[in-house]
Amino acid sequence: MTLCSQNPSASAGGLGLAIVLASSTPLVLLDGAFVVRAASGTFCRMFDLEPAEVTGKALLSLGSGEWDLARLKSLLDATLSGNAAIDAYELDMVHNGQVQHLILNAQRLDMGQDDGLSLLLAVNNVTDARRMEEQKDTLVREKQILLQELQHRVANSLQIIASVLMLGARNVNSAEARTHLNDAHQRVMAIAKMQRQLTTSGAEGVPLGTYLRDLCGSIAASMIARPDRLTITTSIDDTVATAEESVSIGLIVTELVINALKHAFADDHDEGKIDVRFTSTPAGWTLAVEDNGRGMPAHAEPGLGTGIIDALARQLKARVEVHAAHPGTRVVLQHDNAA
């Protein structure tokens, strides 16, 4: 690691410099006047600073003045005086015309009588991570808003389609065609029922059992060509969720089930099943989607679906776990009420 330092003294190069050198985190060692004694190479590279120009300069004067922030000086003053222990202080700074989201960790070090008090400042730039989270959250919100706006229109359209199918079944002469039209009518009515549950749910909420069973049934009817060989089973307790929660859970189940149908059972001749389970206790709830298919590839790259599931899980305050089921894959969402 490159160290932005110019012949540090032996005492100053003790504990403080050892910490700087041993860490890959952007670190700065300051004296009591907030002058830089040493800075890690990662810190210099992150903020486009020349190593030779860093050591010996006041932290607040670095760069083009972007470090001269009242909040930063207050943080350093409080830490040096011992009045505060800052583990994760969030600070926004404009660097190269872009707002950077920083998380600072400041620790006071007693370097002995010769060197007095010093500060060790760790700087974590979370700008890219925050931007990705915001993009995922925005995508989820847009999908939910779109779903809410389309609910009434979709329900009305499904009723029209079901009526047309029923009228066609009554008018055709072929018994086989009549059977196919009746089957299609039942599938459309199942989807319409799911839509009604969402649009008519009030303060009492949405029964997840009926909702998820109908949702999985509609997915199976539209995507499984051989229901005698591939099935979707559900085991849902009597939990009642809010409309917002049920939409998020429904979107997660849809993503996981469709993903399993597309990847776990790629061959039409595959036999297997997808099992959807939801259980709740006073301690929290668990959603599990498991298949007995081919399992996840060893080096599977996360796609958009994974990002959507993670964002939805974050909204539900749940954690996502993926396990090999031997055979197949098991994805679990766990929500703890105490969290």
Side-chain angles (χ1 to χ4, degrees), residues 23-215:
S23 175
S24 60
T25 302
L27 295 176
V28 184
L29 183 64
L30 306 172
D31 65 15
F34 309 145
V35 172
V36 178
R37 288 185 171 184
S40 66
T42 50
F43 174 83
C44 295
R45 290 190 295 272
M46 178 178 291
F47 297 102
D48 303 319
L49 296 171
E50 290 295 333
E53 299 177 0
V54 173
T55 303
K57 289 191 64 175
L59 176 68
L60 302 182
S61 68
L62 292 180
S64 301
E66 61 265 29
W67 290 91
D68 190 8
L69 301 173
R71 290 179 58 195
L72 176 58
K73 186 176 186 306
S74 297
L75 164 67
L76 299 177
D77 284 334
T79 305
L80 187 65
S81 66
N83 293 328
I86 309 299
D87 292 329
Y89 186 86
E90 296 196 19
L91 181 72
D92 288 346
M93 182 183 75
V94 178
H95 177 65
N96 290 337
Q98 300 292 328
V99 177
Q100 303 294 309
H101 301 290
L102 309 179
I103 295 181
L104 307 180
N105 182 305
Q107 298 291 331
R108 187 176 72 163
L109 303 177
D110 190 348
M111 306 297 290
Q113 293 183 351
D114 293 337
D115 294 311
L117 295 177
S118 297
L119 289 178
L120 185 65
L121 182 67
V123 183
N124 186 18
N125 192 333
V126 296
T127 305
D128 292 340
R130 291 285 175 84
R131 185 180 296 114
M132 291 180 64
E133 288 181 4
E134 290 173 359
Q135 289 174 347
K136 291 177 182 178
D137 290 341
T138 299
L139 179 60
V140 169
R141 286 194 299 270
E142 289 175 351
K143 291 189 71 171
Q144 290 178 330
I145 292 172
L146 179 61
L147 177 61
Q148 293 170 359
E149 291 176 347
L150 291 179
Q151 280 175 353
H152 292 289
R153 296 183 183 182
V154 169
N156 291 337
S157 298
L158 289 172
Q159 291 290 344
I160 294 173
I161 294 171
S163 299
V164 171
L165 290 171
M166 181 58 67
L167 181 62
R170 291 173 180 172
N171 293 334
V172 298
N173 295 324
S174 169
E176 181 180 1
R178 187 179 302 110
T179 298
H180 288 313
L181 288 171
N182 282 326
D183 288 344
H185 173 265
Q186 291 300 321
R187 291 172 179 175
V188 172
M189 289 304 297
I191 299 173
K193 182 178 181 180
M194 179 186 67
Q195 290 293 328
R196 285 198 301 272
Q197 288 174 341
L198 288 176
T199 57
T200 60
S201 60
E204 69 278 6
V206 177
L208 284 183
T210 304
Y211 173 50
L212 294 182
R213 280 192 293 271
D214 286 350
L215 176 62

